[in-house]
Amino acid sequence: MNPMNDRMKKIELSEIFSSLDKLDLNPEQLLAEQNVKKLQNKWSEIVGEFLGNQSSPKKLEAKLLYVTCKHSLLVQELEFMKSKILTEIEKKLGSGIIEKIKFTAGYVPKT
C-alpha cells in the first residue's frame, strides 16, 4: 500500500470553490492571474525578443488582455501584429481564453 494514497483525501470541486469563497477569492480571477503569468513568461516567444523586452501583459478581464508598452510607437507596432499575437496566445493557452488585446503605453518593469 502507498502511504501517500492513504493520506490523500478526495476533494470535490465544489468544496474547493466553497473554500475559495470563504477566503474571499474569486476562482475566475485566480485563473486569469495565472494565465497572465504564463503569458509574461512566454511573451518574448510570442512577440519576439525585442518587443518582448519592451512590453508586458498586465491583466486579463473578460477575455480582454491588457498589455503595457514602453513607448507609443511600440503600441502601434503591436497593433499591426495583433492577429498573429492572438494566434500565438491561443497556441500557448488554448482557444477562447483571450479574444481581444488592448495595448497602452506605460511603465514596463525589467524582467
Side-chain angles (χ1 to χ4, degrees), residues 90-105:
E90 189 171 305
K91 289 178 187 175
K92 304 286 184 203
L93 298 181
S95 65
I97 295 173
I98 296 173
E99 294 178 354
K100 297 179 185 175
I101 306 175
K102 178 161 180 61
F103 300 104
T104 57

Side-chain angles (χ1 to χ4, degrees), residues 9-16:
K9 176 186 169 192
K10 184 178 179 182
I11 299 175
E12 296 295 325
L13 197 52
S14 60
E15 289 179 60
I16 294 171

